[in-house]
Amino acid sequence: MADQEEDFSSLPLSDRFVHKNWKVRKQGYEDAAKEFEKTPDESHPVFKPFLLDPGLWKGAVADSNVAAQQDGINALCSFLKFGGPQACTRTRNSTVSSIVEKGLASTRAATKQSSLEALLLYVELDKADPVVEDLLPALSNKQPKIVAATLAALTAIYHAYGVKIVDPKPVLKALPKIFGHADKNVRAEASGLVVELYRWLREAIKTLFWNDLKPVQQQDLEKLFEAVKQEPPPRQERLLRSQQAAIEKSVLVSEAMGEEGEENSDDEAVEINAFDLAEPIDVYGKIPNDFHENIASTKWKERKEALDALLAVVNVDRIKDGPFDEVLTSLAKCMKDANIAVVTVAANCVEALAKGLRKGFSKYRSKIMAPIMERLKEKKQSVADALGATLDAVFTSTSLSDCLEEILEFLKHKNPQVKLETLKFLIRCLKTTRDAPSKPETKLIADAATKLLTESTEVTRSGGAEIIGTLMKIMGERAMNPYLDGLDDIRKTKIKEYYDAAEVRAKDKPKPVAPPTKAAPPLQKKMVKKSAPGTKKHAPRASTPPAEEPFSAPSQPKSFAPKSIPSKLNGPSKPGLAPPSTGLKLQKRLVGPGGGVPSSFPSPKRNIPSPALEDEPPAHKLGLGGRGLAGRPLGKPISTFTEAPPPAASGVSANERAELDELRADKERLQKTNEDLRAEKAKQASQITELQNQNAQLIEDHTRDVLSIKAKETQLVRARSDAEAAEQTVQKQQREIERLKRELSRSTRANSPHPSESSDHIYRDTGVNGSSQAPAMDRYNSNMSSREVGYQRARAYMNSPSEEKENGSLESAHRKVRSRSPPPSYSRDLSTSGRSDRERETGAGRTVSGERTREVGANGEPIESWKRAAEVTSQLKARIEQMKARQGLTRPH
């Protein structure tokens, strides 16, 4: 047995992993784990066989012997821990399903724990999505213990890494089916998983599967949620390898990074909402076709109904991106509506679109934000709240940098209500933004807030102090101190109170700039190294002058004198007898024009002759050097000359310093120019926005005027048509009147008496006073027939009515008829002549004896009844007058 064991141990690990003897396999697993732990890095050759053949691990985690299986899973954990990401990606597809079926469902607790650790390592080394995809099919397994073990593993994964690392949507979609499982252990594990997800997602978890649960299950989960609500926000307990590497790279800011990481984890746990979990819905195709027509209606109820229909369509958790330009343009116009109900519903529609589109809404911000802020002048609180919520949703879809320009512009608005609401909106933006403002933006915000501190209203002054305090919380006290210098103590105290009470999500991160300071020491070291090789042989001599320079520095009045001294010391080092000549030369320069300058050193003077000030400080230095020469023999002059090379370098450095100062001045000038240009740009942008708004208003007014003109033209056309119809009606009535006149004339001719040819037939009317009145027959021509004479009489009677007929008195007419007493012969002739005339007119030989009535007078003689004729005449005249009154016509006089 001992020989066999020695033979087995001599086998390669890959061969022992597939050996038939379980003890050999078990020993191989143990040896592999030990070998992995001893490796110095991930590229060790011991990993290569297992990377080339991932199937070895599939057999190890699914070993038929439970003892060997436990060691095999432990070996896998060691392999993943020390093998790195490559070990994870090569073996993940082969091992996860086997771990779920054989490891998680094992009867041994140690095997279960090792299997769970292997899954967590797979997530840690790469990412969680492939692991979750391999775990989800196990939820449909026929064995309840495998389903329950898988749910427990998912719970542990979410507990360790959180929902930002592990996407919860695939698991939430599968939960309704799990809650309908027959096994109570499975349902209990599902409840535990839901509670763990609720720790991270809170109420947003209910958007995907809550409606699919039974009411009893919902009540049970609500009871479990109550205990979780009291707990603090969860934090990520295990970090990915990528996160660990990022922390290791930032060693100088590790503490700050750790604090920020904790704060970010808290914010992320709170900020996860239904948008992150919901699937995008295409709502653009569901917008009513008549929306744009109804939104432009003149009736506010129709406009509100169109907006209500739009709100019902877009009020979803997540909206698929689409061409909403025209919709947003219409909603922007609704912000100017006179009816506040329309404005409120339009604001709700914009809020729903902004929340549903998120980052996709940023391209519409310029269209809608200015009209909303302009409408903040509304004093009704419900409208102001709706507009404020809409602005918050718009800001969530954009950033502080995008909105800052318009916010600062509206802080200068002349309407105090607009200014106050804009101020509140800016405070909310500073508290909710995740990106700290840049230095120029900080200056703009601080300047605007400082101006608000001098406002007349207390609310506005407090708002300005709160802006500065909140901004100080983001940028830090040190960055905001320059803006507090000119303020009094009362305002500073108030700002400090707001600073202590502010809760922000963004933090200024100037600390990552620290690594460049790490590169500064190497530059200093290089400078030291350069100076050292420059004076190899004269190193001890070169070391002495720097010690004397501090003594000479106080004697020089100018600040640049010490710098010019090393520039002289850094001159050429070869000539050894040059110091005396240089001393004479410098003395001559001090006395007057240097005529006796030695020719042995023309080049150094020509190289550095330009600044006269450079020669003066060395003269003073030379005086000190002369004292040094008097006290010391020749060693000092040599050292002074050997020190001459550094001065040349320092002279150049002085020039460089001057150039550097000029460059800095240029830089400051450019920065000021840039700031001025930015301010000018912001001003022009605001002017452009204002002009665009004015243009839109003018276009709208022009459209309204065009529509009103068209309406007036339509009314005019209708009036013309009505006038033409009235004229036609009047003409028709006139023709009817003429026809009635002709009928009246015809009937009058038929009923009027015809004069006979003899004078006997002419009767005389006796007036009231008994005088006889005979008609003037001389005006009728004797040649006229009896019918023509009767016709003329009738026309005279109709055209010149008497005063009694004009007043409509029938009694006078009756009296006249009674007073007339024509002779019998006239009545007989009249009867015969009337009959003959009627026959001639009609041509039908009809008699009119039935149309007349005869009466017998007191003397027994038959007379014609004129009463009937007068009644017919008066009735016809009354009908004519009624027709004229109906048509609105007046009888001509």
Side-chain angles (χ1 to χ4, degrees):
M1 294 294 294
D3 295 337
Q4 292 178 356
E5 290 179 0
E6 290 177 1
D7 295 336
F8 293 151
S9 62
S10 63
L11 291 174
L13 291 175
S14 57
D15 293 342
R16 283 190 277 174
F17 267 49
V18 295
H19 202 275
K20 295 181 179 180
N21 191 341
W22 67 271
K23 292 183 179 181
V24 177
R25 296 196 303 272
K26 184 175 183 301
Q27 188 64 37
Y29 300 151
E30 294 175 355
D31 294 342
K34 294 177 182 179
E35 291 292 331
F36 297 149
E37 293 177 359
K38 295 178 183 179
T39 55
D41 52 22
E42 301 171 0
S43 60
H44 197 273
V46 73
F47 296 107
K48 187 172 182 180
F50 302 97
L51 294 174
L52 295 177
D53 189 6
L56 296 174
W57 293 113
K58 183 176 182 181
V61 298
D63 201 299
S64 58
N65 186 277
V66 292
Q69 180 191 14
Q70 181 177 345
D71 291 332
I73 297 177
N74 290 334
L76 176 62
C77 293
S78 180
F79 175 72
L80 294 173
K81 185 176 181 180
F82 299 101
Q86 189 176 6
C88 166
T89 55
R90 291 289 183 90
T91 61
R92 182 174 53 205
N93 296 332
S94 304
T95 57
V96 172
S97 59
S98 300
I99 290 173
V100 174
E101 295 177 0
K102 301 294 183 181
L104 294 177
S106 176
T107 56
R108 291 194 172 194
T111 304
K112 288 183 179 180
Q113 188 64 29
S114 299
S115 301
L116 181 59
E117 179 64 22
L119 293 176
L120 293 175
L121 285 171
Y122 274 121
V123 176
E124 177 182 336
L125 291 171
D126 187 24
K127 54 185 179 180
D129 293 342
V131 178
V132 175
E133 290 177 2
D134 292 338
L135 289 176
L136 288 178
L139 297 178
S140 303
N141 198 289
K142 295 181 180 180
Q143 298 182 19
K145 65 176 184 178
I146 295 179
V147 179
T150 305
L151 292 172
L154 289 171
T155 304
I157 291 173
Y158 282 111
H159 184 80
Y161 296 103
V163 293
K164 280 297 182 182
I165 303 299
V166 188
D167 188 9
K169 286 192 288 185
V171 177
L172 288 174
K173 292 179 180 179
L175 282 178
K177 184 179 179 181
I178 301 300
F179 274 98
H181 202 280
D183 190 83
K184 63 178 182 179
N185 295 326
V186 174
R187 296 196 300 272
E189 290 293 342
S191 299
L193 176 59
V194 172
V195 172
E196 179 61 35
L197 290 173
Y198 185 82
R199 292 177 64 242
W200 298 90
L201 301 176
R202 298 299 178 181
E203 295 299 324
I205 195 176
K206 299 181 179 180
T207 57
L208 291 182
F209 76 101
W210 191 256
N211 296 329
D212 297 332
L213 300 181
K214 297 178 181 179
V216 178
Q217 295 173 339
Q218 293 179 358
Q219 295 175 3
D220 295 340
L221 290 175
E222 287 289 352
K223 294 178 182 178
L224 297 174
F225 293 162
E226 290 298 328
V228 178
K229 291 179 181 178
Q230 306 301 327
E231 298 179 359
R235 297 179 181 178
Q236 184 178 345
E237 296 182 356
R238 293 184 62 160
L239 298 177
L240 301 178
R241 287 289 176 89
S242 58
Q243 294 174 330
Q244 296 174 12
I247 293 177
E248 291 175 359
K249 289 180 181 179
S250 57
V251 178
L252 296 176
V253 290
S254 59
E255 295 180 359
M257 290 291 289
E259 293 175 0
E260 291 171 2
E262 292 175 0
E263 292 177 1
N264 290 340
S265 64
D266 295 345
D267 295 340
E268 288 171 0
V270 174
E271 288 235 348
I272 296 174
N273 50 27
F275 179 84
D276 301 317
L277 304 177
E279 294 293 334
I281 300 175
D282 185 10
V283 301
Y284 183 76
K286 299 179 182 179
I287 298 176
N289 296 329
D290 58 348
F291 169 74
H292 296 287
E293 180 181 354
N294 293 335
I295 203 67
S297 175
T298 56
K299 298 180 180 179
W300 70 270
K301 289 186 177 180
E302 294 181 359
R303 298 196 299 271
K304 185 177 181 298
E305 289 174 358
L307 292 172
D308 289 333
L310 177 64
L311 181 61
V313 172
V314 301
N315 193 15
V316 295
D317 294 329
R318 192 167 186 174
I319 298 175
K320 185 178 180 181
D321 197 7
F324 294 98
D325 301 84
E326 296 182 1
V327 177
L328 267 300
T329 303
S330 301
L331 293 176
K333 291 181 179 179
C334 291
M335 293 300 160
K336 302 177 183 179
D337 202 290
N339 190 282
I340 59 175
V342 176
V343 176
T344 304
V345 181
N348 295 335
C349 292
V350 177
E351 180 183 3
L353 284 170
K355 289 181 177 179
L357 290 171
R358 287 291 177 92
K359 296 302 179 183
F361 188 82
S362 59
K363 55 187 175 183
Y364 308 117
R365 182 200 59 80
S366 59
K367 291 184 177 181
I368 196 67
M369 190 170 180
I372 294 175
M373 299 185 74
E374 188 68 35
R375 189 65 185 193
L376 289 173
K377 62 186 178 182
E378 190 65 43
K379 294 183 179 180
K380 193 169 183 180
Q381 191 61 36
S382 60
V383 181
D385 294 341
L387 294 174
T390 304
L391 287 174
D392 293 341
V394 172
F395 174 75
T396 304
S397 64
T398 56
S399 63
L400 180 62
S401 301
D402 297 335
C403 304
L404 185 59
E405 183 178 342
E406 292 181 354
I407 293 175
L408 295 178
E409 187 65 27
F410 277 90
L411 279 178
K412 306 173 186 177
H413 203 277
K414 60 183 180 180
N415 191 318
Q417 183 70 19
V418 175
K419 183 184 296 184
L420 179 60
E421 294 297 331
T422 306
L423 187 149
K424 294 178 181 178
F425 174 52
L426 178 57
I427 295 173
R428 295 196 300 270
C429 293
L430 291 174
K431 290 181 178 179
T432 57
T433 182
R434 291 185 174 276
D435 300 325
S438 61
K439 299 296 181 182
E441 292 173 350
T442 303
K443 185 178 184 302
L444 293 175
I445 297 173
D447 292 343
T450 305
K451 292 180 181 178
L452 294 176
L453 294 175
T454 60
E455 289 287 334
S456 58
T457 58
E458 174 61 25
V459 180
T460 308
R461 293 197 299 271
S462 300
E466 188 173 359
I467 289 175
I468 297 178
T470 308
L471 190 61
M472 185 185 297
K473 194 77 170 182
I474 297 174
M475 306 302 296
E477 295 186 27
R478 183 178 179 183
M480 294 299 295
N481 281 335
Y483 305 104
L484 304 180
D485 291 340
L487 303 180
D488 53 14
D489 295 337
I490 298 176
R491 291 172 179 171
K492 288 182 180 178
T493 304
K494 200 165 190 179
I495 292 171
K496 184 66 176 176
E497 292 176 358
Y498 284 115
Y499 165 75
D500 296 334
E503 295 181 0
V504 298
R505 298 179 182 177
K507 289 288 186 181
D508 188 29
K509 301 177 183 179
K511 295 179 181 178
V513 185
T517 59
K518 205 172 184 179
L523 295 175
Q524 295 176 356
K525 292 178 181 179
K526 290 180 180 179
M527 295 294 292
V528 174
K529 290 178 182 179
K530 287 182 180 178
S531 61
T535 56
K536 287 183 181 179
K537 295 181 180 180
H538 305 283
R541 297 176 183 176
S543 62
T544 55
E548 292 182 0
E549 287 177 3
F551 295 98
S552 63
S555 64
Q556 299 178 7
K558 297 182 180 180
S559 61
F560 58 88
K563 299 177 183 178
S564 61
I565 294 170
S567 67
K568 295 293 181 182
L569 295 177
N570 285 336
S573 60
K574 291 182 180 180
L577 300 176
S581 63
T582 56
L584 293 173
K585 175 178 66 177
L586 293 173
Q587 289 175 357
K588 289 178 181 179
R589 284 187 180 180
L590 290 172
V591 174
V597 178
S599 62
S600 60
F601 297 98
S603 59
K605 296 177 184 177
R606 293 175 184 174
N607 289 336
I608 318 172
S610 56
L613 296 174
E614 289 183 1
D615 297 336
E616 294 177 1
H620 296 285
K621 183 70 177 180
L622 185 60
L624 294 175
R627 295 175 188 174
L629 289 173
R632 297 179 184 180
L634 296 174
K636 183 65 178 176
I638 295 172
S639 65
T640 55
F641 181 76
T642 54
E643 292 171 0
S650 95
V652 175
S653 65
N655 294 334
E656 290 178 352
R657 283 195 184 94
E659 292 179 0
L660 183 60
D661 293 338
E662 292 179 0
L663 291 175
R664 286 176 180 172
D666 293 340
K667 181 181 178 183
E668 293 178 357
R669 194 181 305 109
L670 289 175
Q671 288 179 349
K672 291 181 180 179
T673 305
N674 288 336
E675 291 178 359
D676 295 341
L677 290 176
R678 287 177 182 173
E680 185 68 21
K681 179 182 177 182
K683 183 178 180 181
Q684 291 179 357
S686 63
Q687 292 178 356
I688 290 172
T689 304
E690 184 177 357
L691 291 175
Q692 288 177 349
N693 295 334
Q694 293 178 0
N695 188 22
Q697 184 66 30
L698 291 175
I699 292 173
E700 184 178 356
D701 295 342
H702 176 68
T703 305
R704 191 184 302 110
D705 294 340
V706 170
L707 293 177
S708 62
I709 290 172
K710 290 183 178 179
K712 295 296 183 182
E713 290 179 353
T714 305
Q715 294 177 1
L716 183 60
V717 170
R718 291 179 180 175
R720 287 176 179 173
S721 62
D722 294 341
E724 291 177 356
E727 290 179 358
Q728 293 177 0
T729 305
V730 169
Q731 293 177 1
K732 183 178 180 181
Q733 295 298 333
Q734 288 179 350
R735 289 194 297 270
E736 183 67 17
I737 290 171
E738 294 295 333
R739 187 184 65 79
L740 291 175
K741 284 183 179 181
R742 287 195 298 271
E743 290 293 334
L744 179 61
S745 300
R746 189 177 296 111
S747 61
T748 304
R749 287 196 303 271
N751 296 328
S752 63
H754 297 277
S756 59
E757 297 179 358
S758 63
S759 62
D760 295 336
H761 292 168
I762 299 175
Y763 65 92
R764 298 179 182 269
D765 291 336
T766 305
V768 179
N769 53 2
S771 63
S772 62
Q773 297 177 359
M777 297 299 295
D778 53 344
R779 56 181 175 179
Y780 299 104
N781 191 359
S782 60
N783 295 326
M784 289 184 179
S785 62
S786 61
R787 181 171 181 173
E788 291 176 353
V789 173
Y791 180 75
Q792 292 293 337
R793 283 177 176 274
R795 289 197 62 180
Y797 178 80
M798 292 299 300
N799 292 331
S800 59
S802 65
E803 183 178 354
E804 296 174 353
K805 289 183 180 181
E806 191 71 19
N807 295 330
S809 177
L810 294 176
E811 295 180 0
S812 60
H814 294 167
R815 286 195 300 268
K816 288 183 180 181
V817 171
R818 292 192 188 99
S819 63
R820 294 189 183 114
S821 57
S825 60
Y826 175 78
S827 61
R828 287 194 299 269
D829 295 338
L830 180 61
S831 176
T832 56
S833 63
R835 186 180 298 113
S836 60
D837 293 338
R838 180 68 57 86
E839 288 175 356
R840 283 194 302 269
E841 286 176 4
T842 59
R846 292 178 297 177
T847 62
V848 293
S849 60
E851 298 177 1
R852 296 176 180 173
T853 58
R854 298 177 181 272
E855 295 181 357
V856 179
N859 54 4
E861 295 178 0
I863 60 174
E864 185 71 29
S865 178
W866 295 94
K867 183 177 180 179
R868 178 62 179 170
E871 289 177 357
V872 171
T873 304
S874 61
Q875 289 176 2
L876 289 174
K877 289 189 66 177
R879 286 179 60 186
I880 292 172
E881 293 295 330
Q882 289 177 1
M883 292 177 64
K884 289 181 178 181
R886 259 197 308 267
Q887 299 297 329
L889 301 175
T890 57
R891 187 173 57 189
H893 296 287

